[in-house]
Amino acid sequence: MKNTIDNRQVARLLEETADLMEIDGADSFRVRSYRRAAETAQQTTVELAATETAELLAIPGIGKGMAANIRAITETGTFPQREELLARYGAGLLELLKLPGMGPKTVALLWDAAKVATIDQLAAAIAEGRLNGLPRMGEKQIAKLSKGIEDYRRGAGRFRIDAAEQEAARLVAYLSSFDGIDRVTPAGSLRRGRETVGDLDLLATGPACEPGSTEAAVEHVAAYADIRDIIAKGENKISFHTREGLQVDVRLLPGSSYGAALQYFTGSKAHNVALRQRALKMGLTLSEWSLARLDDESVVAAATEEEIYAALDLKWIPPEMRESLGEIELAARGELPLLIGLNDLRGDLHMHTTASDGRNSIREMAEAAVARGLGYIAITDHTKALAMANGLDEKRALEHMARIREVDSEMEGRIRVFAGIEVDIMGDGSLDLDDEVLAQLDVVIASVHSRFEQPREEMTARVIRAIENPNVDILGHPTGRLLLRREPYDLDMGAVIRRAAELGVALEMNAAPERLDLCDRDLRLAKELGAKVVISTDAHSIAGVGRMEYGVSQLRRAWLSAGDVLNTREAEGFVAGLRRRA
DNA sequence: GCCGTTTTCGGCCCGACTGTTTTCAGTCG
């Protein structure tokens, strides 16, 4: 693997520069062009470092200036504009922007007036009362910042599952390319499907990983191009940070204890403790090396997880369930639920097109869904309250609906295309589209978009009023949670889920990795109360259609089966009901 | 900074909401 700058690093540098430019008060359209270029770098399939300048210029959104910037980045790792801004402001300001309520103007204000350049300095400035009296810095604003700092520090260091998985995939490919490494498996919270991971655990096995002969393999790991610094390097383990800041632990293991190690490093800690207690009661001891007899230390099982669980009189437990929430008892009784899998899903009920803020047409989305083997989709563009997303008003919504129905018939039964919409829940709980229009659509998703701090009771009442509208079928991102950035809305999800169950309104598990709105606790409650759940992608382009793997992990973590989810093979009656308004 | 021209500069997604304003700036989506 060559030591080159890849597209996502180009994207990150452009994005950071856009942030700094905003703090610097640069022209907003100029800033937007940097953001657009960053997005393009992220999305494009061509490798920018290996692309001629003439070809760069052919990419929409990349002109002369940006092509020069990209060239500089791929050749030198940075570019003049960024260096200039970093020299003036420092990188700490970029972190400040991550606090909720902190935008470029506030960062600039705090920098100018209080010389605040990092989160630590902000915390100190608040403690010393140096923010008091600054423009737009009232009591509430300062309290909000304090809470933001607290939340940020708690979430710091965790990475979203999709980012961790992409890094894992790159590392697996790199490690597997080494002669003598046969198999590489991610363990830890990534394998358990958690929405964020603290560090990446990779287990490698093969001839080069056997005790006493690991030196060459360790050196191979240490030569990985994306390493920022090496934390520790031993005979069987090497730990490092990637350039993105993710900590990675690679362990080289003998094949004979691969199962024990995989079990041990997958966790969770609580599950492992419970499992070891069970082993002890059976006269066995479980470690990362093996399951062995207590009396004569003879190995009972070690090579595969299945053998280990079987030797403990347990069915193999899916990693997503390993949180010590009763799964061991169920496995002992042979009563583990059959968890939902990707293959159970039949339809994707939430997606956007060029009519609002999507990047592809209805037809293109439908074809992408056919390619992914789906039986039906619903097109659900935004409504007018999301003006920035070019949301639809009543007139456009009806025209769009007619066009969706045309495409549905053009597809000639290869797939069903339903006409839906994603309405915005307003501050008072009303929906931002007339009921007469909503009543003509097949699927109505109600979502909270604008973020503001309402007291818990009002927020809850607002969402409940919205789903009481008889036209609403699905409650979309109800918590508005964006991982690593902010807390969920202060919302009584228990009350919302209870009401949704009574009304028959389904709860959406938004599978987009930056969303994953419903946490496993919410999903468990939904199952308990008999509330319907759907999983969908919120796809904004053909790349996102049907990509539900991260969301499915969350459903599995909540022990849901295909029968608990509406858009599966088990619930075809649901589809029949969708066309009620046609 | 990009684009598309009405070829050489002007347009480029804007509405809801909060807090601190006494009429609106800043953030978010």
Side-chain angles (χ1 to χ4, degrees), chain A residues 394-413:
Chain A
E394 281 76 6
K395 181 165 172 290
R396 286 181 60 213
L398 288 170
E399 290 163 3
H400 193 43
M401 182 182 76
R403 179 69 196 127
I404 295 168
R405 302 226 185 279
E406 274 173 39
V407 173
D408 181 42
S409 65
E410 284 166 26
M411 296 306 286
E412 296 179 324

Side-chain angles (χ1 to χ4, degrees), chain A residues 102-254:
Chain A
M102 266 287 216
K105 293 289 160 59
T106 313
V107 169
L109 170 77
L110 294 178
W111 166 260
D112 288 337
K115 283 286 161 272
V116 167
T118 65
I119 288 187
D120 288 341
Q121 288 171 15
L122 176 60
I126 291 173
E128 292 161 21
R130 280 192 282 128
L131 263 43
N132 300 332
L134 259 46
R136 298 187 310 278
M137 277 295 151
E139 213 173 300
K140 282 189 176 178
Q141 191 66 25
I142 291 174
K144 187 173 171 182
L145 288 178
S146 287
K147 184 176 183 306
I149 293 171
E150 211 177 289
D151 294 342
Y152 180 82
R153 285 180 172 161
R154 203 175 17 220
R158 292 196 76 83
F159 280 69
R160 240 166 53 188
I161 185 172
D162 56 320
E165 189 155 286
Q166 283 164 23
E167 188 62 58
R170 279 189 290 272
L171 272 157
V172 168
Y174 174 76
L175 297 178
S176 304
S177 73
F178 187 74
D179 194 23
I181 295 182
D182 296 340
R183 191 164 43 151
V184 184
T185 318
S189 47
L190 179 62
R191 184 160 181 249
R192 297 205 312 282
R194 279 197 54 174
E195 50 200 8
T196 60
V197 299
D199 49 28
L200 200 55
D201 279 307
L202 294 177
L203 308 185
T205 190
C209 304
E210 295 294 323
S213 51
T214 58
E215 201 177 321
V218 168
E219 289 311 317
H220 176 68
V221 177
Y224 182 57
D226 208 27
I227 291 180
R228 189 174 69 197
D229 59 277
I230 292 182
I231 302 162
K233 191 169 83 166
E235 200 183 328
N236 300 309
K237 180 186 148 179
I238 171 165
S239 298
F240 56 86
H241 288 117
T242 66
R243 284 191 212 162
E244 310 277 339
L246 177 65
Q247 180 175 332
V248 181
D249 299 325
V250 179
R251 292 164 210 277
L252 308 176
L253 300 157

Side-chain angles (χ1 to χ4, degrees), chain A residues 169-398:
Chain A
R170 279 189 290 272
L171 272 157
V172 168
Y174 174 76
L175 297 178
S176 304
S177 73
F178 187 74
D179 194 23
I181 295 182
D182 296 340
R183 191 164 43 151
V184 184
T185 318
S189 47
L190 179 62
R191 184 160 181 249
R192 297 205 312 282
R194 279 197 54 174
E195 50 200 8
T196 60
V197 299
D199 49 28
L200 200 55
D201 279 307
L202 294 177
L203 308 185
T205 190
C209 304
E210 295 294 323
S213 51
T214 58
E215 201 177 321
V218 168
E219 289 311 317
H220 176 68
V221 177
Y224 182 57
D226 208 27
I227 291 180
R228 189 174 69 197
D229 59 277
I230 292 182
I231 302 162
K233 191 169 83 166
E235 200 183 328
N236 300 309
K237 180 186 148 179
I238 171 165
S239 298
F240 56 86
H241 288 117
T242 66
R243 284 191 212 162
E244 310 277 339
L246 177 65
Q247 180 175 332
V248 181
D249 299 325
V250 179
R251 292 164 210 277
L252 308 176
L253 300 157
S256 58
S257 54
Y258 198 67
L262 185 56
Q263 196 291 314
Y264 182 87
F265 289 112
T266 296
S268 66
K269 201 163 277 176
H271 175 85
N272 286 357
V273 167
L275 214 56
R276 279 191 297 253
Q277 282 169 349
R278 181 181 178 86
L280 284 175
K281 280 190 197 142
M282 297 172 71
L284 300 167
T285 172
L286 179 62
S287 73
E288 66 258 56
W289 301 106
S290 68
L291 179 68
R293 298 177 61 95
L294 271 175
D295 45 19
D296 60 2
E297 295 181 358
S298 63
V299 172
V300 175
T304 69
E305 278 194 336
E306 285 78 359
E307 287 170 27
I308 290 168
Y309 282 97
L312 293 168
D313 283 334
L314 297 171
K315 295 268 185 221
W316 179 80
I317 300 175
E320 295 92 338
M321 291 185 74
R322 300 184 193 172
E323 301 287 350
S324 192
L325 295 169
E327 71 278 8
I328 294 175
E329 291 74 11
L330 286 183
R333 295 202 301 270
E335 291 172 6
L336 285 172
L338 184 58
L339 300 184
I340 186 172
L342 268 179
N343 289 337
D344 294 317
L345 299 170
R346 289 282 295 138
D348 190 343
L349 290 165
H350 185 161
M351 59 184 65
H352 300 269
T353 70
T354 48
S356 63
D357 59 350
R359 283 192 289 272
N360 291 97
S361 66
I362 303 166
R363 181 63 187 256
E364 287 165 341
M365 296 301 266
E367 294 290 353
V370 170
R372 287 196 74 102
L374 294 178
Y376 58 93
I377 58 172
I379 303 291
T380 55
D381 276 296
H382 288 294
T383 46
K384 58 194 173 190
L386 251 70
M388 165 255 183
N390 190 26
L392 307 168
D393 59 16
E394 281 76 6
K395 181 165 172 290
R396 286 181 60 213
L398 288 170

